[in-house]
Amino acid sequence: HFGSSGSRFFCTSLRCPNMCALSAVARATIRRNPQQCMGRSSLVLFAGYRREGWGTFERDLTVTTCPLRVLRPIVSTNHGSVRLQSTVVQDTPSGKPADGEFPESSEAQNPNTEHEAAEPNLPQVLWRAPPLTKDFEATEHLLGVSAMVTGSGLGFALLGIAPFTPPNPFMVGLFLAILQVRLAHVWMTRQMRAQVRRHVVELVHKEGSISEVDKDTLVIDLKCDGGLIRTLRLVSPGSSEEKPSFGNVVSQGCTFTFFDKDMGHSDAQDILSAVLQSKKVVQSEDLSVKPFEEESQSDAEGTVQRLANLSAKHLKSIEGKDDVSPSASLAQIRRSAQIFGSVILTVGVVVFLGGRYAADQSAAAAAAPVRQ
């Protein structure tokens, strides 16, 4: 407490590798609980520092008054290795700090102003990544070419067996060939769309506190590629909660959401890490899906897995099965389409040439006695 002559204040140092993130969490908690900032059990949390380090205190450092009972849960939850070292410093009789002590700051006299300035403006973008537009267009084009090549290969094969096949079985084979090409194209197209919608292009912190001790509802937006937006409401788990935490959903559910660290970046990495490792559970989820071309709205909504419906058992069963990034998965789809189309075309051409050769030999053998 800074005040008249003879008053005392707590000077607390925090051994924390990421002090700025800790102070931001503490100040956000204090602002939502202003009544806890009154009383004697308070300390001064230094949110700024000079390049020389924490040993030199200057007047231009921002100061936040924080009660010990608020900071300790935050420290124990978000930074388990942090140690609090508190000392009581006595003001000089003149009311001025002694040499080596921290001088009084103007922000300390009006903590409400500091709280307003310290909390980041919401909504805050925590993650950005470029969309997979080029990969999607290349994959979509290649799937169309693969369907055409596959159909051509099956057509060549049918022409090769046509001289030896009765009309009815030939028509059945033609129908099955058309159906096979269509089903293969639809299946690979759905895989492509699902991979695109895994790719998270933006994570937005809309409202609420990321602190585990804060009971406020944390609302975030997961904006994925392919026109998918997930609005998630995260709450603290109850004593009998069976839902997986959001941290487990992100780490084990890569099949549904994927943060490509090679493509994306964050300007608030510490806050992003706190959100992605949050112990809170998904209370509810709102989906907004924009269908692709030639995709109905019902198909688009039916193929998207809701994160709120995931169970711990389901996550454990799929853990590690789809850890490949969406970009790499699209490349794998392109390779599979190329290999499949090439094999079908090659086999079809071989069957066509063999059938034509056999048909010519049969015709020549049938014509030989007639000439004699």
Side-chain angles (χ1 to χ4, degrees):
H1 298 279
F2 294 97
S4 60
S5 174
S7 64
R8 302 197 305 174
F9 66 93
F10 289 98
C11 178
T12 302
S13 69
L14 299 175
R15 293 185 179 181
C16 177
N18 203 326
M19 186 62 203
C20 292
L22 179 62
S23 62
V25 173
R27 283 178 287 177
T29 304
I30 297 165
R31 187 186 178 194
R32 290 175 176 82
N33 301 275
Q35 67 278 6
Q36 296 184 1
C37 293
M38 307 301 294
R40 298 180 179 180
S41 298
S42 62
L43 56 84
V44 178
L45 177 64
F46 302 104
Y49 59 93
R50 293 187 59 188
R51 292 185 178 180
E52 290 81 3
W54 290 88
T56 305
F57 300 134
E58 296 292 342
R59 287 184 177 272
D60 57 356
L61 300 185
T62 57
V63 179
T64 299
T65 302
C66 174
L68 286 170
R69 62 178 178 273
V70 174
L71 184 61
R72 281 198 180 102
I74 299 173
V75 172
S76 61
T77 302
N78 296 279
H79 301 274
S81 62
V82 176
R83 292 186 298 173
L84 291 178
Q85 297 178 334
S86 299
T87 57
V88 179
V89 182
Q90 180 73 37
D91 282 352
T92 58
S94 60
K96 298 181 181 180
D99 294 340
E101 297 178 0
F102 186 76
E104 181 177 354
S105 175
S106 58
E107 288 86 352
Q109 299 176 359
N110 190 4
N112 292 331
T113 304
E114 171 61 22
H115 297 158
E116 293 292 335
E119 185 174 3
N121 294 327
L122 298 180
Q124 180 184 15
V125 178
L126 303 180
W127 169 267
R128 275 196 179 96
L132 301 175
T133 304
K134 292 184 178 180
D135 290 337
F136 172 75
E137 292 176 350
T139 306
E140 186 178 36
H141 173 72
L142 194 55
L143 290 182
V145 173
S146 176
M148 181 187 66
V149 172
T150 302
S152 300
L154 293 175
F156 277 118
L158 290 173
L159 289 176
I161 65 174
F164 313 101
T165 309
N168 289 338
F170 182 82
M171 292 301 297
V172 172
L174 181 61
F175 171 76
L176 292 178
I178 296 173
L179 183 63
Q180 191 268 342
V181 172
R182 178 58 180 169
L183 289 178
H185 183 263
V186 169
W187 173 251
M188 300 191 78
T189 300
R190 286 195 173 189
Q191 283 188 326
M192 174 190 66
R193 292 169 178 170
Q195 293 298 331
V196 170
R197 286 174 174 148
R198 285 177 61 213
H199 180 61
V200 180
V201 298
E202 197 171 88
L203 190 152
V204 182
H205 176 198
K206 296 183 67 176
E207 60 182 78
S209 173
I210 64 176
S211 173
E212 302 294 342
V213 298
D214 200 320
K215 300 301 182 181
D216 288 351
T217 301
L218 174 61
V219 182
I220 60 175
D221 273 352
L222 279 180
K223 298 182 180 180
C224 303
D225 207 353
L228 172 62
I229 301 177
R230 303 175 184 266
T231 300
L232 305 175
R233 293 173 179 83
L234 310 181
V235 297
S236 299
S239 57
S240 60
E241 184 62 60
E242 297 182 356
K243 283 187 175 182
S245 66
F246 182 69
N248 290 338
V249 171
V250 173
S251 61
Q252 299 177 356
C254 296
T255 303
F256 313 114
T257 56
F258 192 91
F259 291 82
D260 195 341
K261 296 180 181 179
D262 294 333
M263 298 183 63
H265 69 281
S266 174
D267 296 331
Q269 185 61 47
D270 301 305
I271 302 178
L272 174 66
S273 299
V275 172
L276 297 184
Q277 298 172 7
S278 175
K279 300 300 181 183
K280 295 186 177 182
V281 298
V282 181
Q283 181 188 45
S284 62
E285 177 181 10
D286 295 332
L287 285 181
S288 175
V289 189
K290 181 180 179 181
F292 288 101
E293 186 178 358
E294 299 181 357
E295 182 187 31
S296 65
Q297 185 67 38
S298 59
D299 287 343
E301 295 177 354
T303 55
V304 176
Q305 171 67 48
R306 288 182 174 270
L307 302 183
N309 296 338
L310 292 175
S311 63
K313 183 178 179 181
H314 186 194
L315 287 176
K316 192 161 186 68
S317 65
I318 64 174
E319 183 180 6
K321 290 187 177 180
D322 202 0
D323 291 339
V324 183
S325 67
S327 178
S329 298
L330 290 178
Q332 180 62 41
I333 292 175
R334 292 195 295 270
R335 286 193 296 270
S336 300
Q338 288 175 329
I339 294 173
F340 183 75
S342 301
V343 170
I344 296 297
L345 180 61
T346 302
V347 173
V349 170
V350 171
V351 172
F352 170 74
L353 295 177
R356 294 304 301 174
Y357 178 77
D360 292 342
Q361 291 296 321
S362 299
V370 176
R371 293 177 182 174
Q372 294 176 356

